[in-house]
Amino acid sequence: MSEFKVVGSRIILNLPEINKPSLQLSEDLEREWMEKEFKKFDKLEVFAIGTDVTNVEVGDSVTVNPMFVRNAERVTIEGKERIVIRYPDITLIWKK
């Protein structure tokens, strides 16, 4: 594992696993499936925090506006894709 340091008010979040259906779905079923999968993005686990971040710890869960999640920078750390957000983009925090 390589060491890294997150700088400033950035926070790295783990992305939830998205299970893609193995069958082709009707339009209605696909919409229903997508809504269910997108709910996994309501609470995202904190993987790492920047040097200026307070009130959030690694392992906490946070809610972030979906617009910020969609447009977030993506990084690969330890073989997994993660997203980078800014501390002010957090709406709610659930302590670990």
Side-chain angles (χ1 to χ4, degrees):
M1 177 174 95
S2 61
E3 287 201 30
F4 61 92
K5 185 176 192 175
V6 183
V7 295
S9 64
R10 293 172 185 85
I11 297 175
I12 299 178
L13 302 175
N14 293 319
L15 288 172
E17 298 247 349
I18 298 295
N19 302 315
K20 296 184 179 180
S22 56
L23 302 172
Q24 184 159 354
L25 302 175
S26 69
E27 192 174 313
D28 289 340
L29 284 176
E30 185 173 348
R31 189 176 306 115
E32 188 176 314
W33 170 82
M34 287 177 62
E35 286 176 17
K36 178 183 167 202
E37 290 298 306
F38 284 132
K39 286 183 182 181
K40 292 180 181 179
F41 286 83
D42 287 348
K43 277 186 177 180
L44 299 171
E45 182 184 14
V46 175
F47 175 76
I49 60 172
T51 53
D52 297 339
V53 174
T54 58
N55 300 325
V56 177
E57 299 173 12
V58 172
D60 288 350
S61 293
V62 296
T63 295
V64 180
N65 182 315
M67 178 185 70
F68 297 129
V69 172
R70 266 193 307 277
N71 296 319
E73 175 185 358
R74 296 183 185 278
V75 295
T76 301
I77 301 173
E78 298 177 359
K80 292 187 177 182
E81 186 176 30
R82 304 174 197 279
I83 60 171
V84 180
I85 62 157
R86 297 175 318 119
Y87 178 72
D89 297 340
I90 293 175
T91 307
L92 299 169
I93 302 169
W94 285 269
K95 301 307 273 180
K96 61 180 174 180

